[in-house]
Amino acid sequence: MAIIGIDLDNTVICYEQIFDGYLQDLAITRLEDYSLKDSLKTALIAADKSEYRWQKIQGEVYGERMHSAVLFPGFMRFLLTAITKGDKLIFISHKTKFGHHDQKKINLREVANEWLEKNIFVELSDSSCFLNERVIYADTREEKIDAIKRMNCDIFIDDLPEVLFDEKFPVEVKKLLFSSNAVSNIDQSIFSTWNEIREFLYSPLNDVDIKNILHYKFADLKIDKVEIVRVGVNSSVAKIQSTDACCYALKMYPDFQGDFRSRLKVEWYALEKLYENKFLVPKPIASNLSMNWGIYEWLDGHLRPVHNEEFLIKAINFIIEIQNNKKIVDSFDKKYLASEACLSSKDLINQIFYRLSVFKKIPLSENLTTFFKDEFEILFTQLFQEKSKFIEKFIEPLPFKYQILSPSDFGSHNMIMSNSGNTYVYDFEYFGWDDPVKLAADFYWHPGMELSDILRAKWLLIVKESFKKDPEFAARLDAMLPFYGLKWCLIILNIFKAPPVNWALNSYKKEIDLDPIRTEQFNKAKILLTKIREIYG
């Protein structure tokens, strides 16, 4: 059993979005390689030649605005792993009772306790994992270090190097620095995410760990077996079975630190509404936002339906039936957009430019550099010039009356044929309002389906007929289709981004050799680009 001491502010409690609000209000540009907090602090002290304004803002953030703070992504997974391993934890924070220059005299410790109760302790079935004094507050750094000694901590995790490397810090305590902007030091271990800390202290998350966490958080499900069936760049999935032989799918979404989209919230709400209205989708069973885990009905059957004309018709009918269901349509606000929604040609072109710019900022192999320079960018420029008239025509956002509720990532790769012959659709983490052209084009190009040329042509005829009430649908689809193909080339190459931060379980990346995967994806991108060139070049 280890005793793990943990700092609170900017280690467990994340204030980044609050500091970002101050940066925007004060028109301060974030400094490169600096956190939002450090950018704000540096700019204010440089402008004022004093710490008065910075200290005042800091008091507001840790006081009256603390309700807007959030738990750092991955911390709850770390915490529950520590609990199930039998370790003890204690929060030790350098936090004065009142903030500097605070005329309201808000008790910062009481506010912090309320936040901890609401965001952490409420998640625990008991507090036995914590030492008797769950939270210790210190007026000074010296008092904080004394508390670390007094509580016999084996490990201490903090975001401030000046605490960990204070000359009075106990040498026998292992130091873990939590900071994405830290400079490497031979005597310290630096971690930018809580997943990395969990991995470092406990090794990769495996079936047994997941089972123990499920027992702790979802005891009512009586989980007996866990089998990880998919480890993806986005989400990972485990098949879980209860003692009464019920099967569920546990979906483990990527942490917000690598992906800020609320995938779990989006998918849960979409499936809830679709299931209520008798659509063939998995039933939502249970979820936990702090863990970013969702549990759904397990779908048994064949992996995917056969690609034929009947499949195309069933697919479009599923989409049309959603639009015709008033209960579903009325439950989604107009602002509830699909992930990377493209409501205009401008949206689509900007998304391509952005994805391309990301690759230009990272070191690439000679083959990949040549691919972008001599193939991709040349074809993109040619198509942009040829389609410029249409790009200009559709540059304004699509009127809402022609938008649809779209699963966004839609196709046979996200469908299962049940043993009874019914086709179930899953994966709705990108769901929301969008241009039907995007759904039609993504379906057409998606590398996970590999439709024949004949079926691609039939699909275009089917969707043009299905959305003919939109007088510009056919022209918009014809104009934008090649650009969606180019965007898919870039999506396929996401695996080359370093590091691949979206691996839902960082623990598995150590067991996966990325080189053959990258080679395979590179070949897929080249084949797709060749296909686009054959059709349009």
Side-chain angles (χ1 to χ4, degrees):
M1 180 196 79
I3 297 175
I4 304 174
I6 310 172
D7 177 53
L8 280 180
D9 294 326
N10 305 299
T11 304
V12 171
I13 308 172
C14 179
Y15 301 92
E16 289 288 86
Q17 59 189 16
I18 307 177
F19 286 122
D20 188 36
Y22 278 105
L23 281 172
Q24 293 184 34
D25 292 344
L26 298 171
I28 295 173
T29 303
R30 179 176 181 173
L31 299 174
E32 189 174 354
D33 297 328
Y34 276 66
S35 67
L36 295 167
K37 172 195 169 187
D38 290 339
S39 294
L40 180 63
K41 178 180 179 180
T42 302
L44 290 178
I45 293 176
D48 300 343
K49 307 302 181 188
S50 79
E51 293 195 4
Y52 174 82
R53 190 158 52 140
W54 162 244
Q55 290 178 349
K56 190 172 186 300
I57 285 176
Q58 204 174 17
E60 292 173 3
V61 171
Y62 299 150
E64 61 183 306
R65 295 204 180 191
M66 189 174 180
H67 64 277
S68 298
V70 296
L71 195 65
F72 258 107
F75 178 76
M76 190 55 65
R77 292 184 192 178
F78 162 83
L79 176 60
L80 294 184
T81 301
I83 290 172
T84 56
K85 296 288 186 182
D87 287 341
K88 298 290 182 182
L89 301 113
I90 181 84
F91 292 124
I92 304 176
S93 172
H94 176 190
K95 185 186 287 289
T96 56
K97 196 170 184 179
F98 300 103
H100 294 291
H101 318 297
D102 179 17
Q103 297 179 347
K104 297 180 181 179
K105 294 297 179 185
I106 294 173
N107 190 314
L108 302 184
R109 296 176 179 179
E110 288 180 359
V111 172
N113 285 337
E114 290 171 4
W115 188 94
L116 289 169
E117 193 64 44
K118 179 181 176 182
N119 290 275
I120 294 180
F121 297 135
V122 73
E123 295 276 355
L124 308 179
S125 57
D126 62 73
S127 58
S128 60
C129 58
F130 281 88
L131 299 177
N132 292 332
E133 300 176 79
R134 296 196 300 190
V135 189
I136 297 175
Y137 294 111
D139 287 320
T140 65
R141 186 195 304 169
E142 186 175 2
E143 283 185 21
K144 179 176 181 176
I145 293 172
D146 285 341
I148 294 170
K149 294 176 184 176
R150 186 174 72 250
M151 302 311 293
N152 296 314
C153 292
D154 299 297
I155 300 164
F156 196 77
I157 306 167
D158 204 314
D159 71 302
L160 295 176
E162 53 263 41
V163 172
L164 298 177
F165 295 95
D166 189 290
E167 61 181 11
K168 295 181 180 178
F169 193 92
V171 293
E172 66 275 11
V173 178
K174 186 166 188 61
K175 314 174 184 77
L176 303 186
L177 181 64
F178 176 77
S179 174
S180 58
N181 303 291
V183 178
S184 179
N185 184 294
I186 194 169
D187 295 323
Q188 68 191 53
S189 299
I190 307 173
F191 304 91
S192 60
T193 70
W194 276 100
N195 266 343
E196 291 174 357
I197 293 176
R198 174 184 52 74
E199 223 179 275
F200 176 76
L201 293 178
Y202 300 112
S203 75
L205 196 65
N206 56 35
D207 296 354
V208 175
D209 295 327
I210 293 171
K211 179 180 175 180
N212 290 336
I213 291 171
L214 290 171
H215 274 197
Y216 186 90
K217 284 303 300 174
F218 303 98
D220 292 346
L221 294 181
K222 301 176 182 176
I223 301 304
D224 182 47
K225 295 179 181 178
V226 173
E227 178 190 0
I228 296 169
V229 294
R230 189 188 79 195
V231 179
V233 175
N234 294 312
S235 302
S236 293
V237 176
K239 182 179 182 180
I240 57 179
Q241 187 172 323
S242 68
T243 53
D244 54 4
C246 291
C247 288
Y248 308 102
L250 167 66
K251 194 166 185 179
M252 297 166 279
Y253 299 84
D255 282 337
F256 294 119
Q257 209 161 334
D259 188 332
F260 294 102
R261 290 170 290 189
S262 299
R263 294 169 182 258
L264 170 57
K265 281 186 178 180
V266 169
E267 182 154 42
W268 184 271
Y269 189 66
L271 286 176
E272 196 174 47
K273 295 302 175 185
L274 291 167
Y275 188 82
E276 284 174 3
N277 287 276
K278 313 300 182 186
F279 281 78
L280 294 178
V281 296
K283 178 182 179 181
I285 305 296
S287 67
N288 183 274
L289 288 175
S290 297
M291 289 284 292
N292 216 12
W293 284 7
I295 300 175
Y296 307 94
E297 172 189 9
W298 180 265
L299 299 175
D300 274 319
H302 306 295
L303 283 179
R304 58 178 63 186
V306 177
H307 291 163
N308 53 29
E309 190 169 354
E310 182 185 1
F311 157 69
L312 300 182
I313 293 170
K314 281 186 177 180
I316 199 62
N317 284 344
F318 181 88
I319 299 300
I320 298 302
E321 285 169 14
I322 293 176
Q323 317 316 315
N324 292 338
N325 190 305
K326 194 172 187 304
K327 287 183 180 178
I328 294 177
V329 170
D330 289 348
S331 64
F332 288 89
D333 188 88
K334 293 180 181 180
K335 296 178 182 178
Y336 199 99
L337 296 180
S339 179
E340 290 200 4
C342 285
L343 299 178
S344 68
S345 60
K346 181 180 178 181
D347 289 342
L348 176 56
I349 300 301
N350 283 346
Q351 287 178 18
I352 293 173
F353 274 124
Y354 172 75
R355 286 181 174 273
L356 197 55
S357 70
V358 171
F359 284 108
K360 289 185 176 182
K361 292 178 182 177
I362 59 178
L364 299 173
S365 67
E366 185 178 346
N367 286 343
L368 201 53
T369 301
T370 301
F371 171 79
F372 283 127
K373 183 179 178 182
D374 296 346
E375 298 187 61
F376 184 92
E377 291 184 29
I378 289 175
L379 183 57
F380 176 54
T381 302
Q382 289 175 345
L383 286 168
F384 190 86
Q385 292 171 348
E386 290 174 12
K387 302 283 185 179
S388 59
K389 180 176 68 174
F390 296 98
I391 292 171
E392 187 65 29
K393 180 179 181 180
F394 301 121
I395 204 165
E396 294 300 321
L398 182 70
F400 182 72
K401 64 180 179 179
Y402 296 130
Q403 295 175 30
I404 64 166
L405 280 173
S406 170
S408 195
D409 186 13
F410 180 67
S412 62
H413 58 292
N414 286 335
M415 297 179 186
I416 287 181
M417 286 285 289
S418 71
N419 295 329
S420 61
N422 292 321
T423 301
Y424 285 78
V425 182
Y426 61 94
D427 267 0
F428 288 83
E429 56 191 73
Y430 307 112
F431 191 82
W433 292 105
D434 207 342
D435 185 346
V437 161
K438 181 175 183 293
L439 179 135
D442 284 346
F443 190 98
Y444 181 93
W445 291 117
H446 201 291
M449 289 200 293
E450 298 178 351
L451 295 176
S452 68
D453 290 345
I454 293 174
L455 287 179
R456 286 177 194 263
K458 286 184 177 179
W459 171 250
L460 294 182
L461 292 174
I462 288 170
V463 293
K464 286 178 181 179
E465 176 65 22
S466 300
F467 297 108
K468 64 183 180 182
K469 288 184 179 179
D470 176 354
E472 299 284 5
F473 177 84
R476 204 164 64 251
L477 177 59
D478 290 341
M480 296 297 105
L481 191 59
F483 295 101
Y484 278 104
L486 292 174
K487 181 183 170 184
W488 267 107
C489 287
L490 300 177
I491 294 172
I492 290 169
L493 295 171
N494 273 345
I495 194 69
F496 284 90
K497 294 177 183 177
V501 292
N502 279 0
W503 286 96
L505 295 176
N506 285 1
S507 46
Y508 288 96
K509 70 179 185 292
K510 290 183 177 177
E511 301 176 10
I512 295 176
D513 182 2
L514 292 179
D515 288 340
I517 301 175
R518 285 173 168 160
T519 299
E520 181 183 0
Q521 294 300 96
F522 180 52
N523 289 335
K524 283 183 180 180
K526 290 181 70 175
I527 291 170
L528 179 53
L529 193 71
T530 300
K531 187 73 176 178
I532 299 168
R533 191 185 296 113
E534 288 174 356
I535 298 173
Y536 296 97

